Amino acid sequence: MRELVKEKNQIYQESELNIHTNLKLLRQKFGVTQKQVAEVLHVDVTTLSHYETGIRIPDIETLIRLADYYGTTVNCIISYEAI
């Protein structure tokens, strides 16, 4: 199991998706804390932190809620280029 998680993380890190970078930049652009965003999304602040550091990838429902919160699109969040 540990090897599967390690392999998944390596594949994610090698991809050019910038989900974690884009989420952090959006939050900073809006001038809100991780705690504030986590409360709105009804997730633990640790979960949001993991999204922003690339440890975890948000599921599609969470991506939609994040896009709504930031007034953008899921495509913008998952784009290859940083916002």
Side-chain angles (χ1 to χ4, degrees):
M1 179 68 169
R2 181 174 278 165
E3 287 299 315
L4 181 61
V5 171
K6 188 175 180 181
E7 183 178 323
K8 181 181 174 184
N9 286 340
Q10 182 178 2
I11 291 169
Y12 176 67
Q13 290 171 353
E14 290 173 358
S15 75
E16 294 185 33
L17 292 177
N18 284 318
I19 295 170
H20 61 288
T21 303
N22 289 340
L23 287 174
K24 185 173 184 176
L25 289 172
L26 280 167
R27 183 179 55 76
Q28 291 173 339
K29 179 179 175 182
F30 276 71
V32 292
T33 65
Q34 287 182 341
K35 182 177 179 182
Q36 290 170 314
V37 177
E39 287 174 355
V40 170
L41 296 178
H42 303 291
V43 299
D44 191 271
V45 70
T46 304
T47 301
L48 188 67
S49 174
H50 286 176
Y51 295 156
E52 290 187 7
T53 57
I55 294 171
R56 293 184 63 187
I57 302 172
D59 62 25
I60 189 64
E61 290 178 17
T62 304
L63 283 171
I64 291 168
R65 292 189 346 233
L66 283 160
D68 287 344
Y69 178 78
Y70 291 122
T72 190
T73 65
V74 171
N75 284 343
C76 181
I77 292 173
I78 66 171
S79 85
Y80 292 103
E81 307 225 355
I83 298 173

